[in-house]
Amino acid sequence: MNRSALPIWTTLLLSVVTVSGVQRPAAAQDSTAANAIFPGRYPYTDADIHFISGMIGHHAQAIVMAGWAPTHGASKSVRVLCERIINAQTDEITLMQNWLNDRHQPVPEATAGPMKMTMHGIEHEMLMPGMLSDEQMKQLDAATGTEFDHRFLTFMIQHHQGAVNMVAQLFGTTGAGQDEAIFKFASDVNVDQTTEIDRMQKMLFTLPRD
Amino acid sequence: MKSYRYLFVVGVLALAACATYTSSTGAPTPTAGGGGAMSTAAPKPDPRVGLRGGRVDSTGKVFLARAAEASWNLTLLSNTPASEKFVGVTNSDLAFTGNYAIQGNYNGYQVWDISTPSRPTLKAFNLCPASQSDVSVYKNLLFVSSESNSGRLDCGTQGVRDTVSKDRLRGIRIFDATDISHPTYVTSVQTCRGSHTHTVVTDPKDNANVYVYVSGSAGVRSPTELPGCSNTALDKDPNSAHFRIEVIKVPLAHPEQAAIVSSPRIFSDLAAPPTHGEAADELAEMAAARKAGAFVAVFGTQEFVLPPQFVNPMLDSIVKARKGTGAPTKADSAAFRAYLPTLVHIMTGGNAGGKPSGPDQCHDITVYPAIGLAGGACGGYGLLLDIRDVAHPVRIAAVADSNFSYWHSATFNNDGTKILFSDEWGGGGAPKCRATDKMEWGADAIFSLVDRKLTFKSYYKMPAAQTKFENCVAHNGSLIPIPGRDVMAQAWYQGGISVFDWTDAAHPKEIAFFDRGPIDSTHMAAGGSWSAYWYNGVIVSSEIARGLDVFALTPSGLISQNEIDAAKTVRFDQLNVQDQPRFVWPASFALARAYLDQLERSNGLASGKIATARTALAGAERTSGQARHDALSQLATRLRKNADGAADKPKAHMLATAVGDLAKGQP
């Protein structure tokens, strides 16, 4: 039986995870630290570090998802989209790791899992907004052909929307996004992924028929 | 102020292929042919590949070693590092007034006197942080964009920490630069999303005001900070700050009264525009489906043909709802069609990101008032706007491209028959010119513009592979007024500067370049040319990390000294590249010879006729007064007669007209 797009859309609307109030202990307010990306003088904050650290794992998951396109019978247009996502987000991971490294902050590995973070002295694991659960990743991995295209686009829209939400959350935090490198990177994530969401939604509704 | 200057520095690796380091100030050479005399071949191997990098210290501010340079048909006349308060901070866009280049910087702006291109001197600076500090100038007024959260009304350098603050400025700063040495702050115009870039727009019918189109794609401010700003989706709030640009009107007699006069919703009802490349199959499929009576949903600002796997269960459920069985009837289909808008609304309701957002803002807009059009580079789209009513631009065409990520800027050719859009894939901080990056990604897309319709012709990308430590993608450029050709200089960040000819829209061709090795060959450190613009005879480039570069274009088999000399006859009092001026070439011997060179290069006119014309021109130039007038008139008459039989008839007529105009100009 043919699938209906509606249930998947409903899943999307409900599955955008939101987080708030995450805190880290040690403050980093070093206004003189090197900023090798776009030099600026403004201080960065815990919220900036959290945003960058969390986005690394977020991007890593997108790269895993996109990497399945060739082996899962994706259509040509989805394969091209996936190539672009891998190219773009791999570069951005490097940029984010450099940013942390330059500021002598812990640099997370680019692995697709949940982010480890310390809250009130206890280590927690959490998925950043929009990231796929293990169950969703299994669903995607199990699909091939048009089914894969459909699930990929649906899940990647969810994934991108999560990144856009992370940017909104960052800019809604007092003191955050002052560092010019952070402002530029977060603004780029916002416009690039919003544009790509638009493109993927169009693709989703024009998928080749079975 | 530390300053490095290089008089006629030659590209270290590019010597072999180009004996082109002629002084650009040389007198016109009457017999110089444009054709076979000089090399037309690009140097091989490309000397830009593998250039030795420089090295910066741990602060990213001090150059410990200088990078190697390669050039072809371009000569670096000077490199001037930023002054003390700006060094180490991003240099951005350029505007020009008189002998001055105004260079934006995330710390404010600097004013350089470039009357001696080999020795620019700092005339003034203003420490007033804002990103990106996009700059424009109109008469005595200077405009600066501020987008980020840290810009302050008082120009303070401490940033603004609070999410809501009365100190924050996001929008346009206006300065009075009547005394260029001491610009004074006139006022600011606050906007809901700040100003990433802006475009000064002159209205041919309105001399009392100048207009500013504001593009800003950053987040919407809180209404507590700036009353009236709404972050709500457009379908829920008609005053939403999304899906619009802002137009500021600046009364020239009272710039302090500058204010937003309209917020045109140029993105409304944008149907899916045609795409090409990978998406072409899909489009054909959509068109066929629509013809076959498929269900079409209007989703956000676009139309979609719904696939059967979506439609069939819906129809089944309608059949079930009426307790029927079997195939859906015509009435069921009609009921579903009627329900579609509601369904789409339900599917997208309550989630701003859950529906196609379409282009929500522009990155930049280039206006061409002489033809009443503007090119908008807006999200995933390139838009063509009618700006004859300046305060109320209207969208007349839109293009999308499956190989484009983020439409960045637009340039018209001088005739207004073509438009070039660039794609700033990766936002400018990423290395998108590696050997592994496709030539159609992070490139320019060239369209023909006929009857206000855009048709894709080709991509252009700076062709030399760069390292992974060099941010590189298409960025800002301007036309060079070579008569009879479409030639453009363009910045590619650390990919350097590429000068290319796009007269043949389907086959753009590089004709000159300049590049340096990476800022740091061990680490990604942002730098390179932000903008490369031709202004009154030189190419001025704003180097993000290395300051201000000034170049001379040098003659080769691809561009003759006469063509360069003719380009230098086009002079402006002021220039904002995104307020594109129309080039008009005054009559000159160089102009006539430039056309002759082009006809010789293309075999557009018989070689004997070209030789005769060159001799006649040289003879006329040796005379004066009535004798010169008569000689030129006779030549013009002869050339007009020749033109109809020429292989390149239009160019031959341009030559005849140029000689005729030269005759008229003689006393």
Side-chain angles (χ1 to χ4, degrees):
Chain A
M1 183 56 200
N2 288 322
R3 283 167 297 107
S4 157
L6 191 57
I8 295 178
W9 270 99
T10 315
T11 311
L12 159 65
L13 299 182
L14 297 176
S15 65
V16 175
V17 186
T18 55
V19 290
S20 62
V22 179
Q23 294 177 345
R24 289 168 59 99
Q29 301 284 340
D30 180 5
S31 62
T32 61
N35 176 352
I37 307 300
F38 276 91
R41 126 212 62 241
Y42 300 109
Y44 54 92
T45 65
D46 286 348
D48 296 320
I49 295 168
H50 173 71
F51 171 80
I52 292 290
S53 305
M55 194 63 89
I56 290 174
H58 195 274
H59 275 36
Q61 190 183 56
I63 291 167
V64 171
M65 293 165 66
W68 285 338
T71 53
H72 289 59
S75 66
K76 192 181 173 200
S77 61
V78 169
R79 283 205 313 274
V80 171
L81 173 74
C82 285
E83 261 187 81
R84 295 175 64 100
I85 288 173
I86 291 169
N87 188 316
Q89 302 212 3
T90 303
D91 287 345
E92 289 182 355
I93 287 174
T94 306
L95 185 150
M96 291 187 282
Q97 289 179 328
N98 285 345
W99 187 88
L100 290 167
N101 212 18
D102 290 343
R103 287 157 184 77
H104 310 293
Q105 298 296 321
V107 180
E109 287 293 314
T111 49
M115 182 189 176
K116 289 193 177 63
M117 51 183 25
T118 306
M119 260 188 279
H120 309 296
I122 303 163
E123 194 170 86
H124 296 267
E125 287 196 338
M126 64 174 261
L127 284 177
M128 299 311 289
M131 282 182 75
L132 273 61
S133 64
D134 287 348
E135 183 53 37
Q136 287 178 312
M137 286 296 272
K138 279 181 198 151
Q139 283 175 22
L140 180 62
D141 194 13
T144 57
T146 307
E147 183 89 21
F148 177 83
D149 285 359
H150 206 279
R151 286 189 190 172
F152 176 83
L153 292 170
T154 306
F155 286 148
M156 193 54 86
I157 289 168
Q158 161 193 325
H159 198 271
H160 274 30
Q161 187 58 48
V164 170
N165 290 352
M166 284 171 70
V167 174
Q169 191 189 346
L170 175 75
F171 287 138
T173 306
T174 298
Q178 297 274 311
D179 177 293
E180 292 294 356
I182 292 286
F183 181 81
K184 175 168 172 48
F185 174 69
S187 299
D188 285 349
V189 166
N190 187 47
V191 295
D192 288 351
Q193 302 214 6
T194 302
T195 303
E196 214 156 68
I197 286 169
D198 182 42
R199 174 174 301 190
M200 289 191 288
Q201 281 168 336
K202 185 181 161 216
M203 290 170 72
L204 191 58
F205 278 86
T206 55
L207 278 181
R209 258 63 80 197
D210 289 325
Chain B
M1 186 184 75
K2 273 191 277 183
S3 177
Y4 304 92
R5 302 185 203 287
Y6 294 87
L7 273 166
F8 300 102
V9 167
V10 291
V12 288
L13 294 174
L15 290 169
C18 50
T20 58
Y21 295 99
T22 313
S23 163
S24 61
T25 55
T29 43
T31 54
M38 302 176 91
S39 173
T40 57
K44 278 183 187 170
D46 195 311
R48 289 170 288 187
V49 178
L51 282 174
R52 185 188 71 243
R55 204 154 60 80
V56 290
D57 76 346
S58 63
T59 68
K61 295 184 178 184
V62 178
F63 288 94
L64 299 176
R66 299 196 61 80
E69 294 163 356
S71 65
W72 178 50
N73 301 334
L74 275 184
T75 300
L76 178 64
L77 300 177
S78 61
N79 166 250
T80 313
S83 59
E84 186 191 344
K85 290 185 165 60
F86 301 86
V87 74
V89 181
T90 300
N91 290 313
S92 60
D93 211 0
L94 296 163
F96 302 93
T97 181
N99 290 328
Y100 305 104
I102 300 162
Q103 184 179 30
N105 176 288
Y106 282 18
N107 259 1
Y109 60 86
Q110 302 175 87
V111 179
W112 299 99
D113 182 339
I114 55 167
S115 48
T116 306
S118 57
R119 286 192 67 84
T121 52
L122 188 67
K123 181 76 174 174
F125 66 85
N126 201 327
L127 184 63
C128 185
S131 70
Q132 309 184 112
S133 289
D134 196 23
V135 285
S136 294
V137 63
Y138 185 72
K139 294 189 192 285
N140 61 318
L141 299 176
L142 175 55
F143 303 92
V144 185
S145 280
S146 175
E147 180 184 46
S148 70
N149 292 323
S150 51
R152 295 180 61 91
L153 276 168
D154 62 6
C155 291
T157 57
Q158 67 270 46
V160 185
R161 286 185 59 77
D162 298 333
T163 51
V164 170
S165 170
K166 60 179 174 31
D167 298 322
R168 178 171 289 127
L169 168 70
R170 292 178 63 195
I172 299 286
R173 301 185 198 276
I174 304 177
F175 297 88
D176 183 340
T178 303
D179 176 1
I180 193 82
S181 306
H182 301 97
T184 53
Y185 204 163
V186 176
T187 189
S188 313
V189 181
Q190 300 263 17
T191 62
C192 287
R193 302 183 70 179
S195 171
H196 190 70
T197 68
H198 70 265
T199 305
V200 163
V201 195
T202 43
D203 183 348
K205 303 183 293 290
D206 179 359
N207 294 326
N209 299 286
V210 68
Y211 295 81
V212 180
Y213 289 174
V214 180
S215 299
S217 49
V220 177
R221 300 164 77 167
S222 159
T224 323
E225 181 169 288
L226 186 61
C229 292
S230 165
N231 195 25
T232 310
L234 182 56
D235 58 347
K236 296 207 171 57
D237 181 357
N239 293 318
S240 172
H242 294 280
F243 298 97
R244 73 183 195 201
I245 63 168
E246 317 285 359
V247 179
I248 294 172
K249 181 177 175 176
V250 186
L252 295 176
H254 289 283
E256 74 283 358
Q257 292 169 11
I260 294 172
V261 287
S262 63
S263 301
R265 294 211 177 273
I266 57 171
F267 311 110
S268 298
D269 308 318
L270 180 57
T275 59
H276 64 279
E278 280 74 21
D281 324 345
E282 297 169 3
L283 270 176
E285 206 170 346
M286 273 179 77
R290 202 178 276 125
K291 211 173 173 184
F295 294 90
V296 176
V298 180
F299 204 64
T301 56
Q302 299 184 0
E303 289 183 331
F304 297 91
V305 177
L306 298 177
Q309 60 260 48
F310 181 92
V311 171
N312 293 344
M314 291 288 164
L315 289 171
D316 290 346
S317 65
I318 289 173
V319 175
K320 269 184 205 154
R322 63 170 167 81
K323 298 201 167 79
T325 52
T329 63
K330 274 187 183 169
D332 294 330
S333 295
F336 180 50
R337 263 184 227 282
Y339 179 61
L340 265 178
T342 315
L343 179 65
V344 169
H345 185 76
I346 291 168
M347 285 169 63
T348 60
N351 186 320
K355 63 178 178 178
S357 44
D360 175 61
Q361 249 294 349
C362 292
H363 176 275
D364 208 349
I365 299 171
T366 292
V367 297
Y368 196 0
I371 59 170
L373 293 177
C378 311
Y381 297 80
L383 305 184
L384 188 66
L385 307 173
D386 183 332
I387 57 159
R388 284 174 297 179
D389 180 354
V390 171
H392 303 96
V394 178
R395 189 185 75 240
I396 49 179
V399 284
D401 190 299
S402 52
N403 283 313
F404 259 42
S405 167
Y406 188 66
W407 295 61
H408 180 277
S409 50
T411 305
F412 290 90
N413 70 335
N414 197 55
D415 291 345
T417 54
K418 291 173 211 149
I419 186 167
L420 176 147
F421 286 104
S422 60
D423 174 17
E424 195 187 31
W425 184 33
K432 300 302 190 189
C433 305
R434 295 159 295 194
T436 50
D437 294 311
K438 296 187 176 182
M439 287 303 280
E440 63 271 29
W441 290 2
D444 299 322
I446 297 171
F447 294 80
S448 67
L449 170 52
V450 179
D451 296 334
R452 301 187 147 203
K453 285 192 185 65
L454 301 171
T455 309
F456 174 80
K457 293 294 175 186
S458 67
Y459 297 107
Y460 176 76
K461 188 172 183 179
M462 185 284 301
Q466 305 286 303
T467 69
K468 64 179 177 178
F469 299 124
E470 291 170 280
N471 52 311
C472 178
V473 73
H475 212 232
N476 294 342
S478 81
L479 291 184
I480 299 176
I482 305 290
R485 295 170 69 180
D486 300 321
V487 176
M488 179 166 167
Q490 187 178 20
W492 291 79
Y493 289 113
Q494 290 203 62
I497 293 165
S498 180
V499 178
F500 58 99
D501 184 315
W502 51 303
T503 311
D504 178 354
H507 302 96
K509 179 181 164 60
E510 187 171 54
I511 57 175
F513 59 68
F514 175 84
D515 187 24
R516 294 185 175 100
I519 288 200
D520 191 326
S521 50
T522 62
H523 194 268
M524 167 60 87
S529 181
W530 179 290
S531 320
Y533 299 146
W534 174 276
Y535 179 64
N536 291 349
V538 290
I539 293 169
V540 183
S541 164
S542 176
E543 221 284 1
I544 287 173
R546 293 165 170 129
L548 189 80
D549 288 324
V550 186
F551 298 89
L553 190 57
T554 51
S556 68
L558 298 164
I559 236 171
S560 69
Q561 184 67 54
N562 292 320
E563 289 175 292
I564 295 171
D565 290 337
K568 288 181 179 177
T569 64
V570 179
R571 297 189 70 84
F572 293 106
D573 296 333
Q574 296 192 315
L575 178 66
N576 301 302
V577 169
Q578 285 76 33
D579 180 16
Q580 199 173 320
R582 175 170 257 168
F583 298 144
V584 178
W585 289 267
S588 70
F589 282 94
L591 180 65
R593 290 188 179 113
Y595 290 140
L596 276 170
D597 292 349
Q598 291 169 11
L599 286 163
E600 182 172 331
R601 198 181 290 128
S602 68
N603 296 316
L605 184 65
S607 57
K609 294 196 164 85
I610 289 174
T612 311
R614 286 193 195 283
T615 308
L617 270 180
E621 196 172 21
R622 279 192 296 270
T623 61
S624 60
Q626 190 62 40
R628 182 185 277 190
H629 174 272
D630 293 347
L632 290 169
S633 293
Q634 284 165 20
L635 177 60
T637 306
R638 198 162 68 237
L639 287 170
R640 257 189 296 277
K641 272 186 203 152
N642 289 341
D644 285 332
D648 186 346
K649 228 185 274 184
K651 185 64 63 69
H653 276 289
M654 285 159 78
L655 168 65
T657 304
V659 174
D661 290 347
L662 194 54
K664 279 179 215 155
Q666 302 306 318

